[in-house]
Amino acid sequence: MCLAIPAKVVELLPDDMGRVNIEGVEKVVSLALVDGVAEGDYVLLHVGYALSRIDPEEAARTLALLKEMGELAELEAGEAGA
């Protein structure tokens, strides 16, 4: 099953890259597939690539559901082990 996770863009980097924040975990990802991304935007993230922009309310609802399902725990555990 494929899962795209909402992430907030916190910094734009060179070469269509950006730093995103997912519930306190920051990652550097590719923004090349989404035009016009700005700091503060939310994007749907899948395997290191932003696929599309998403509004903040939808991002919050999706993150709450993922947290409830325990999906974000895997992300946080992976970051702790890195």
Side-chain angles (χ1 to χ4, degrees):
M1 175 174 88
C2 295
L3 181 65
I5 298 177
K8 184 175 184 176
V9 178
V10 295
E11 182 182 5
L12 297 177
L13 302 171
D15 300 321
D16 290 325
M17 300 297 285
R19 185 176 315 282
V20 298
N21 185 296
I22 309 163
E23 294 289 298
V25 176
E26 290 197 354
K27 297 193 174 284
V28 174
V29 302
S30 174
L31 302 174
L33 301 176
V34 183
D35 291 330
V37 175
E39 289 181 15
D41 284 350
Y42 281 85
V43 293
L44 282 178
L45 184 65
H46 179 65
V47 293
Y49 290 88
L51 302 176
S52 65
R53 270 194 303 264
I54 182 173
D55 68 67
E57 294 80 19
E58 182 65 24
R61 283 192 300 269
T62 302
L63 286 168
L65 288 170
L66 290 171
K67 195 173 214 173
E68 187 177 314
M69 293 178 356
E71 293 293 328
L72 291 179
E74 291 179 23
L75 174 69
E76 291 165 357
E79 190 68 22

